[in-house]
Amino acid sequence: MKKLIFGIVFMFLISACNWQKDNYLIKYYEGDFDEIGVPSGYLNAKGDVSTP
């Protein structure tokens, strides 16, 4: 029984580590702080502007 639980947990960890990590956004802004009225937007993993 312990081997079965260990195997399931191990397979879950392996699948979580192999997940593609190219589906995220990075917020950018001009200036030192992200304040109201400061031009900002989001970049995708490739560096393309997704939301100006």
Side-chain angles (χ1 to χ4, degrees), residues 15-42:
S15 65
C17 291
N18 289 333
W19 200 316
Q20 293 182 356
K21 296 179 176 104
D22 59 351
N23 192 16
Y24 60 89
L25 296 176
I26 300 171
K27 184 169 186 175
Y28 72 92
Y29 49 89
E30 296 179 8
D32 294 332
F33 301 103
D34 186 19
E35 299 174 326
I36 296 174
V38 174
S40 63
Y42 291 92

